[in-house]
């Protein structure tokens, strides 16, 4: 019986609890709702509680957020902590993006985590809209415009100077030469009456058709005013425009002598660079005070007789009045140009020479030349015409002629001695090439009999050469005894 009572008591308690549960379910759902849906959402009751707590949090006053990493232990009110990710202690100016996490703790022990992202964008300087971002482009465009403008201005100025010189000298040139301004484009010599422009700073003029000279080449060498870099360089090292004149005489219209006069610096340079001055005027440049020349000028001469013959009163008058414009005057019957610099050795024969008169004049102004300055060179052109006639009339006496001939023979002998070894090597090379060509001809012969005869003939020729050398050696020994 006692066991039966123990079973009945739990059964009664279960029956008493069943009506209460059924009544609750009936109150929560309508008649048309499905009870199975309620069973699926087992946590609906807890979600309703969270919604109620969130509503209370919204109505409550905002909590105070503490920037310290630990909450104040003495305060019982709402607490807030700020945690930085990646172990950062604060904001870094070098970072472009900073993340932070804020944890807010309320009195009812509910924690809300809020995440925020602070973006610090640093705009590069070259992306900013300001003129400072384009200073390099501005400098390049400015430099290009300056170069173009300088090119146009410099080219036009050189052209005006050249035309001014030609206008002032044209009448004199046409009165002394039959042809003025041949450009060489036509087969027949035609006088064009104008300058030939070689480039932006060099102008040429060819004149011919005069007694005792083959022709005269005038070259106007202006400064490179069209080049901006050259203009800047001349600010540090000033220079001047030049007029160079080269007169080629006929062989019979000039005697054998070498002479030069000009500034000391120019004479020293020409003596080192020019072949004829270095060989026939070995002495140092001499002063022209004997002839009344200024101290700035010096003379190079093959012999004293030549200096006395060239420096007459009229020539001295021209040089004295225009000493500041004269760079150099060079007369030579052995003119071959500058020294030949060859890495492999000297040439095997003497260079070709011509009887030539060379004049180099400096244009006044030291770069700041005006068209009026070109007119001041007209007396120097008269000096050139006078020099042509003077050299034609100048003749050395018998002693001077013999001395000049000995000097030329000495120069030729020295040249042959210097080139003797090279000529021997060249002759040996020619002999070896001849032997090699003969052997190749014998080897290329298809007929064996003819090839054998050619080899025997070559051996006989070699044997004769050896015997001839032996005979010469015997004769030398007999003469020595």
């Amino acid at each position: 019986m006692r066991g039966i009572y123990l079973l009945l008591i739990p059964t009664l308690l279960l029956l008493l609890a069943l009506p209460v549960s059924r009544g609750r379910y009936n109150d929560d759902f309508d008649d048309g709702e499905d009870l199975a849906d309620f069973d699926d959402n087992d946590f609906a009751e807890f979600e309703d509680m969270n919604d109620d707590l969130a509503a209370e949090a919204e109505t409550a006053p905002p909590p105070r957020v503490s920037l310290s990493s630990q909450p104040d232990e003495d305060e019982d009110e709402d607490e807030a902590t700020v945690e930085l990710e990646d172990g950062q202690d604060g904001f870094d100016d070098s970072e472009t993006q900073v993340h932070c996490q804020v944890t807010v703790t309320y009195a009812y022990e509910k924690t809300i985590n809020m995440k925020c992202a602070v973006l610090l964008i640093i705009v590069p300087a070259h992306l900013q809209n300001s003129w400072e971002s384009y200073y390099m482009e501005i400098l390049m465009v400015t430099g290009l415009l300056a170069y173009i403008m300088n090119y146009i201005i410099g080219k036009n100025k050189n052209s005006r100077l050249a035309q001014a010189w030609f206008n002032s000298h044209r009448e004199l040139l046409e009165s002394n030469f039959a042809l003025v301004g041949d450009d060489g484009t036509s087969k027949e010599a035609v006088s064009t009456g104008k300058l030939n422009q070689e480039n932006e700073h060099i102008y040429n003029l060819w004149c011919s058709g005069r007694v005792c000279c083959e022709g005269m080449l005038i070259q106007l060498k202006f400064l490179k005013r069209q080049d901006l870099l050259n203009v800047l360089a001349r600010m540090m090292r000033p220079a001047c425009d030049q007029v160079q004149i080269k007169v080629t005489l006929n062989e019979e219209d000039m005697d054998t002598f070498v002479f030069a006069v000009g500034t000391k610096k120019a004479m020293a340079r020409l003596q080192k660079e020019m072949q004829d001055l270095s060989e026939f005027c070995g002495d140092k440049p001499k002063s022209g005070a004997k002839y009344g020349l200024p101290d700035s000028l010096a003379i190079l001469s093959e012999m004293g007789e030549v200096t006395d013959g060239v420096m007459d009163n009229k020539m001295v008058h021209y040089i004295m009045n225009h000493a500041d414009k004269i760079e150099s005057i060079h007369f030579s019957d052995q003119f071959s140009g500058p020294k030949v610099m060859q890495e492999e050795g000297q040439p095997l024969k003497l260079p070709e020479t011509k009887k030539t008169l060379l004049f180099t004049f400096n244009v006044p102004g030291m770069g700041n030349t005006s068209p009026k300055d070109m007119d001041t060179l007209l007396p120097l052109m008269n000096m050139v015409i006078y020099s042509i006639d003077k050299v034609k009339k100048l003749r050395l006496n018998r002693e001077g002629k013999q001395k000049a001939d000995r000097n030329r023979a000495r120069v030729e002998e020295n040249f042959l001695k210097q080139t003797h070894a090279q000529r021997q090597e060249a002759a040996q090379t020619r002999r070896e090439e001849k032997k090699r060509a003969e052997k190749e001809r014998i080897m290329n012969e298809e007929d064996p009999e003819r090839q054998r005869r050619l080899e025997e003939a070559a051996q006989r020729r070699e044997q004769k050469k050896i015997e001839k050398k032996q005979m010469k050696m015997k004769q030398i020994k007999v003469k020595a005894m």
Side-chain angles (χ1 to χ4, degrees):
M1 290 295 291
R2 187 176 180 179
I4 294 172
Y5 284 115
L6 292 174
L7 292 173
L8 290 175
I9 291 171
T11 303
L12 291 174
L13 294 174
L14 181 61
L15 291 175
L16 292 173
L18 183 60
V20 176
S21 299
R22 290 178 61 87
R24 183 181 176 182
Y25 286 117
N26 292 333
D27 294 336
D28 293 339
F29 295 97
D30 296 334
D31 294 338
E33 291 181 344
D34 191 2
L35 297 176
D37 295 336
F38 181 79
D39 295 334
D40 294 336
N41 192 1
D42 295 334
F43 298 93
E45 181 179 358
F46 299 99
E47 292 177 355
D48 294 338
M49 295 176 64
N50 291 334
D51 294 338
D52 296 337
L53 293 174
E56 293 176 1
E58 291 177 356
T59 58
R64 291 181 300 172
V65 180
S66 176
L67 297 178
S68 61
S69 61
Q70 295 179 357
D72 191 1
E73 296 178 357
D74 298 333
E75 294 183 0
D76 296 332
E77 297 178 0
D78 297 346
E79 298 177 355
T81 59
V82 178
E83 297 180 0
L84 299 178
E85 292 183 355
D86 300 331
Q88 297 292 330
D89 295 334
F91 293 106
D92 190 1
D93 293 339
S94 63
E95 296 291 336
T96 59
Q97 184 174 359
V98 179
H99 299 276
C100 65
Q101 181 177 354
V102 181
T103 303
V104 182
T105 305
Y106 294 93
Y108 46 80
E109 297 181 356
K110 177 178 174 59
T111 301
I112 298 177
N113 294 330
M114 295 183 295
K115 291 186 178 181
C116 63
V118 180
L119 300 178
L120 302 179
I121 300 175
I122 301 175
V123 181
H126 65 278
L127 296 179
Q128 297 177 1
N129 294 326
S130 63
W131 287 107
E132 297 179 356
S133 303
Y134 305 99
Y135 72 94
M136 184 61 67
E137 290 79 359
I138 293 173
L139 290 177
M140 292 178 64
V141 173
T142 304
L144 182 61
L145 291 176
Y147 190 90
I148 294 173
M149 292 182 64
N150 179 80
Y151 178 84
I152 296 173
I153 295 172
K155 180 181 177 181
N156 292 337
K157 184 173 182 179
N158 286 341
S159 178
R160 290 195 305 271
L161 293 176
Q163 193 61 38
W165 180 92
F166 182 70
N167 293 336
S168 61
H169 292 71
R170 183 171 184 173
E171 184 178 355
L172 177 62
L173 295 175
E174 289 180 349
S175 61
N176 286 274
F177 295 90
L179 186 146
V180 177
D182 183 17
D183 54 3
T185 56
S186 59
K187 295 182 180 179
E188 297 181 359
V190 179
S191 180
T192 60
K194 62 180 182 180
L195 293 169
N196 180 29
Q197 182 178 356
E198 184 174 338
N199 51 44
E200 286 76 7
H201 65 282
I202 296 179
Y203 292 81
N204 298 327
L205 182 67
W206 172 257
C207 303
S208 62
R210 192 182 190 280
V211 179
C212 77
C213 74
E214 295 180 359
M216 179 176 67
L217 177 63
I218 303 174
Q219 194 171 58
L220 307 178
K221 287 189 174 182
F222 297 107
L223 300 174
K224 295 181 180 180
R225 294 181 173 88
Q226 77 282 359
D227 187 0
L228 183 59
L229 298 179
N230 189 270
V231 172
L232 297 176
R234 282 191 288 108
M235 293 181 181
M236 305 298 296
R237 189 177 181 180
C240 59
D241 304 301
Q242 286 188 342
V243 177
Q244 296 181 357
I245 302 173
K246 180 179 179 181
V247 182
T248 304
L249 302 177
N250 298 324
E251 289 295 328
E252 65 277 4
D253 292 327
M254 183 178 180
D255 213 341
T256 54
F257 65 88
V258 178
F259 171 82
V261 59
T263 61
K264 294 181 179 180
K265 185 177 180 180
M267 291 297 98
R269 175 176 54 83
L270 292 177
Q271 192 175 26
K272 292 179 180 179
E273 295 178 356
M274 293 298 174
Q275 186 75 23
D276 56 343
L277 290 177
S278 63
E279 291 177 348
F280 297 99
C281 302
D283 297 337
K284 293 182 179 181
K286 298 180 180 179
S287 174
K290 176 182 177 181
Y291 304 96
L293 300 181
D295 296 335
S296 60
L297 301 181
I299 296 175
L300 284 173
S301 180
E302 183 178 357
M303 59 189 74
E305 181 183 352
V306 175
T307 306
D308 296 336
V310 174
M311 300 298 293
D312 59 359
N313 293 332
K314 193 170 184 178
M315 193 71 175
V316 171
H317 176 74
Y318 278 124
I319 296 175
M320 284 291 296
N321 292 339
H322 304 282
D324 58 332
K325 303 181 187 68
I326 296 175
E327 178 75 11
S328 64
I329 299 173
H330 182 191
F331 302 160
S332 176
D333 72 314
Q334 297 291 316
F335 181 76
S336 59
K339 292 182 179 180
V340 179
M341 299 296 179
Q342 294 186 357
E343 297 179 357
E344 297 181 358
Q346 295 182 352
L348 298 180
K349 57 183 180 179
L350 286 169
E352 183 180 358
T353 61
K354 287 187 177 183
K355 297 181 178 182
T356 308
L357 309 181
L358 297 172
F359 303 86
T360 302
F361 304 136
N362 295 325
V363 181
M366 286 300 292
N368 299 322
T369 308
S370 63
K372 293 182 179 180
D373 294 330
M374 307 303 292
D375 300 338
T376 60
L377 299 177
L378 184 59
L380 295 175
M381 182 57 66
N382 289 321
M383 184 186 69
V384 173
I385 303 299
Y386 174 78
S387 299
I388 296 174
D389 298 333
K390 177 69 178 178
V391 170
K392 184 181 185 306
K393 297 177 182 179
L394 181 61
R395 288 292 182 267
L396 301 176
N397 56 24
R398 186 178 64 181
E399 294 180 358
K401 184 69 173 177
Q402 291 177 354
K403 186 177 181 180
D405 292 340
R406 287 196 300 270
N407 290 338
R408 279 143 187 79
R410 173 181 53 81
V411 170
E412 184 177 359
E413 183 180 358
N414 293 336
F415 178 81
L416 293 176
K417 288 181 179 179
Q418 293 175 0
T419 59
H420 177 69
Q422 296 182 5
R423 285 185 284 107
Q424 282 186 338
E425 292 179 1
Q428 182 66 21
T429 303
R430 288 194 297 269
R431 288 193 295 268
E432 291 178 356
E433 291 179 354
K434 187 177 180 180
K435 289 181 181 180
R436 190 182 304 108
E438 186 176 357
K439 289 181 180 180
E440 290 179 357
R441 185 171 64 85
I442 294 173
M443 296 298 294
N444 293 333
E445 184 63 39
E446 297 180 356
D447 188 1
E449 184 63 23
R450 181 173 175 79
Q451 185 178 9
R452 184 182 60 80
R453 290 197 299 269
L454 291 174
E455 291 178 354
E456 292 178 355
Q459 290 178 359
R460 286 195 297 271
R461 285 195 296 270
E462 290 293 331
Q463 187 64 28
K464 288 181 180 180
K465 290 181 180 180
I466 294 173
E467 292 177 356
K468 188 181 292 186
K469 288 182 180 180
Q470 291 177 354
M471 290 294 296
K472 287 182 179 181
M473 294 296 295
K474 289 180 181 179
Q475 291 176 359
I476 292 173
K477 289 181 181 180
V478 171
K479 290 180 180 180
M481 292 176 63

